[in-house]
Structures are given as C-alpha cells and as structure tokens.
Amino acid sequence: MVTALSRAGLRIDFLHEHDYTLWQRFSVLERHETAYRLPEGRPRVPLMYSLRATLA
C-alpha cells in the first residue's frame, strides 16, 4: 500500500499502526469497549493502520 501510494506520486504524511480493529476479523479477537483486540498475554501486533498521503 505504502509503496503504491508513493509510486503514484503521493507523499506519506503518517502511518500509524493500531493493536485493535473495529470488527471481529478473527475469531480469537475479544471485544473491548468499541474495538476488538487479541486476548491478554498475546503479543501486541498491528491489526489496523491509519495513513495520510498528500500530493507531493
């Protein structure tokens, strides 16, 4: 994704990884308030990201 945006002439302003997702993408995810996360004791891995790119 990042490479494709960059090659298209966009500048990556930021890329933030999040250890939660807004939907239960995998059955192992547990609901916590308004998001889904891996259970306690599991490694924290990115499940979603936010990105902003602008015309260079």
Side-chain angles (χ1 to χ4, degrees), residues 4 8-11 13 17-19 21 25 27 43-44 49:
L10 296 170
R11 180 183 66 229
D13 298 322
E17 296 176 324
H18 308 285
D19 66 349
T21 184
R25 184 173 184 156
S27 61
R44 292 289 173 226
Y49 65 90

Side-chain angles (χ1 to χ4, degrees), residues 17-50:
E17 296 176 324
H18 308 285
D19 66 349
Y20 62 86
T21 184
L22 300 177
W23 60 92
Q24 192 173 17
R25 184 173 184 156
F26 307 109
S27 61
V28 69
L29 297 178
E30 298 176 345
R31 186 167 181 92
H32 293 269
E33 296 179 23
T34 60
Y36 292 89
R37 296 178 185 271
L38 288 168
E40 283 295 319
R42 289 282 183 91
R44 292 289 173 226
V45 296
L47 297 172
M48 187 170 69
Y49 65 90
S50 54

